[in-house]
Each structure stands twice: as structure tokens, then as C-alpha cells.
Amino acid sequence: MTSHHRTSRRPIILALGILMALQIGVLPAQAHPGSGIAADRTGQVYFIDTGDGLWKIDLQGQLVHLGGPRFHWMALDLENKFAKTTLPSGPSGDITRVGDNPAVLVSSDFPIAIAPDGNLYYPSRGPAGQVQIVQFTPAGRQSILVTLPANGTDGKPLHYINGLTAATDGSLYFTENSAVRRITPAAQVSTVIADVHLPKCSAIPGMSASDNPLLRGLAVNADGTVSVAASGCGAVIDVSRDGHVSTRNQIEGPYSPTAVAFFGGNVYALEYLHTKEETSTSRRDWVPRVRKIAAGGTSTIIANVERH
């Protein structure tokens, strides 16, 4: 695997404790690296880097720097539906388009997903403080799909969601720290699984054990299996349609997975190096790599980003 890096010209500071914009009401315990990875129809893999922008692993296995803003989340616009759309931008966060064929939408402050209906979805904070899921069309029309329950599955107020993805049936799935929930196309919210506990949970530098397993990025396979990055435990887990949890892969710190994607029967996990100092505020301290986990369980690092 060839790795390369473009030197940063302007340092970008990541405020401690922000997972989504303050206007969305998100105040978790610590800073965080990026959480976005996806594969296009040919098998090229794209991932977000909060220190260096967007990257692609091409069909020859080469790591290509696509640049763009150093944001946290991303979604592939495979049909280029948002090529002429003025994307959401403002005090609660920005969404920007990078490249073509496919274009990649990158988001600064909240997770995003493009569903089979061609619309973009993302969370926002409603007037009563509850998290709402916004539907944003390629024509630029915005509406509220659903207002999420005031409390999460742990009974505590739900101030943010950690990850968001769309399934082939048009449903949206999102993660809380220890739960996965589903929103149907008819805007019905249900719980896929709650109170997830892993028998082995690695100590990840700079992460609070009180948030574990800290479920973040997720992807839904055609058979309904949900794969999730359990960032606080260094694991990628699978949740079956009947709610059974199994560990697909687990690693020791200081790296930990933050997002996953499916392609060709394999799972691709975005992993980040976690800093030893919880007080670190530089996005470049989070260094990403990508792991390919085969259906049989064998895993291989296929890309490493190098900082210079």
C-alpha cells in the first residue's frame, strides 16, 4: 500500500467535547476523530480524515488524497444528485461537496446519510431541544422527517446521535452510545438493540469508560445485519435482525474503529490512532488507517495515512 501526505498549511483546532454543533445540543465527554467511510459501485473506498481531508483507496490499492475540508462525517452522492444544490451551511454546521463521479458530501458537525430515495438526511436540534432528523432534497427543500424520543434507551436525555446510515429498504439507522435504532420510511422509530455490553472492552486512550461501548459509525448489509464500530471497545460488532450481537473484529489500543462500510462481502473499518493525552486539541493527532475484514474473519490493514 502506498501512503502519502500533503503538509498542512493551516492548523485547525478541534474544541474539546464537541461531537456535533452546539446548536444541536451535543456535549459528549471528549474530542473525537472522523467517522466516515464508504465504497462506491466499483469498490473504491473513501474515508474522512479530520487532519487532512478526504482520501480514496483506488482499485490498484493506492491511497489518493482528494483534499477538501477537514470534517468529521461523509456520504457518497453516487448519482451526483446534489451537484447543483446549495447545501446546508450555518452556525449548526456545514455540508460541502468534494469531487465528481461520485461526489462526496462531507459534514463538519453532524452525521449524514443519503438514502435510496435520493434525499440527504441529518440530525438537527428542534425548538424544544429534542433531536430531529431533517430530510433535505436535491432541490434544496428541507423538512423534518421525525423528532426522536426525548430520552435515549438508557433513560437519559438524548442530546445527540453518534452515527447515521441508510439501508436499501429506505430505513435510516442511528447509534447512541450503547444502542442502535431504526427509523422506517414512514418515520416510525424502533430499537434494534439497547444496552449493548461487550464481554471484553479494551482501554482506548483518551476515551471515557462511562460512554462504552460508544457505538459510532454503522452500515446495514442486504440481509439486515448491522455492523457497528464500537469505538470505546476497539471492536467492530454485528447485530443480527433478531438482535444477536457478535464481535467481528477487535483490536488493542491505541487505534480504535470509528466507522464501517460493506463491499463485496467484506467489511471496511476506518480506525484512528487515539492520543495519549486527553487534552490534545489538534485534529492532526488523530491518524487514520483502513482495515479490510474478510467474510471469514481475516483482517488486513490496507491503508495507512502518514503525517509529516
Side-chain angles (χ1 to χ4, degrees), residues 49-97:
D49 176 2
T50 43
D52 245 353
L54 191 67
W55 298 85
K56 177 179 75 173
I57 306 170
D58 67 18
L59 297 181
Q60 288 71 48
Q62 301 299 305
L63 189 59
V64 180
H65 188 215
L66 301 178
R70 298 159 188 176
F71 285 172
H72 289 85
W73 286 274
M74 57 157 283
L76 290 185
D77 182 12
L78 294 172
E79 305 292 341
N80 290 316
K81 288 183 177 294
F82 293 90
K84 298 181 180 180
T85 309
T86 299
L87 294 167
S89 179
S92 61
D94 299 331
I95 300 175
T96 299
R97 185 172 178 271

Side-chain angles (χ1 to χ4, degrees), residues 2-289:
T2 299
S3 299
H4 72 273
H5 164 75
R6 293 182 182 179
T7 303
S8 173
R9 295 184 179 180
R10 292 187 299 172
I12 296 181
I13 302 303
L14 175 63
L16 287 175
I18 296 181
L19 181 60
M20 291 161 52
L22 294 179
Q23 289 79 4
I24 302 178
V26 180
L27 294 171
Q30 64 278 330
H32 69 108
S35 181
I37 186 169
D40 66 18
R41 293 189 180 100
T42 68
Q44 296 185 112
V45 177
Y46 301 75
F47 64 94
I48 199 74
D49 176 2
T50 43
D52 245 353
L54 191 67
W55 298 85
K56 177 179 75 173
I57 306 170
D58 67 18
L59 297 181
Q60 288 71 48
Q62 301 299 305
L63 189 59
V64 180
H65 188 215
L66 301 178
R70 298 159 188 176
F71 285 172
H72 289 85
W73 286 274
M74 57 157 283
L76 290 185
D77 182 12
L78 294 172
E79 305 292 341
N80 290 316
K81 288 183 177 294
F82 293 90
K84 298 181 180 180
T85 309
T86 299
L87 294 167
S89 179
S92 61
D94 299 331
I95 300 175
T96 299
R97 185 172 178 271
V98 179
D100 287 291
N101 298 316
V104 184
L105 303 188
V106 294
S107 170
S108 61
D109 296 292
F110 41 78
I112 58 176
I114 297 177
D117 63 7
N119 296 317
L120 174 68
Y121 294 88
Y122 56 90
S124 182
R125 187 179 182 182
Q130 290 174 251
V131 178
Q132 298 178 322
I133 301 300
V134 177
Q135 180 190 77
F136 185 83
T137 72
R141 292 190 296 271
Q142 179 177 298
S143 60
I144 303 302
L145 174 68
V146 65
T147 297
L148 299 182
N151 292 329
T153 59
D154 58 3
K156 298 178 181 178
L158 181 66
H159 294 305
Y160 61 92
I161 62 175
N162 298 343
L164 181 69
T165 194
T168 54
D169 68 354
S171 297
L172 298 172
Y173 289 72
F174 67 89
T175 49
E176 301 171 16
N177 283 351
S178 61
V180 178
R181 303 178 94 168
R182 176 176 179 254
I183 306 169
T184 69
Q188 299 298 312
V189 181
S190 62
T191 299
V192 178
I193 192 166
D195 197 27
V196 175
H197 290 281
L198 301 187
K200 178 185 177 183
C201 195
S202 303
I204 305 300
M207 302 186 75
S208 171
S210 64
D211 293 328
N212 287 342
L214 192 56
L215 305 182
R216 295 189 66 199
L218 71 169
V220 184
N221 209 346
D223 65 2
T225 299
V226 184
S227 286
V228 191
S231 294
C233 297
V236 173
I237 64 172
D238 290 336
V239 182
S240 66
R241 293 176 68 93
D242 60 2
H244 175 71
V245 177
S246 59
T247 299
R248 181 180 288 259
N249 192 70
Q250 190 159 23
I251 59 176
E252 299 292 332
Y255 276 90
S256 185
T258 64
V260 295
F262 287 113
F263 186 81
N266 303 310
V267 169
Y268 293 86
L270 174 62
E271 299 175 348
Y272 268 90
L273 175 67
H274 284 251
T275 60
K276 296 182 179 180
E277 299 294 334
E278 292 187 25
T279 55
S280 174
T281 59
S282 173
R283 295 189 183 203
R284 292 178 56 75
D285 287 344
W286 311 102
V287 183
R289 68 186 186 186

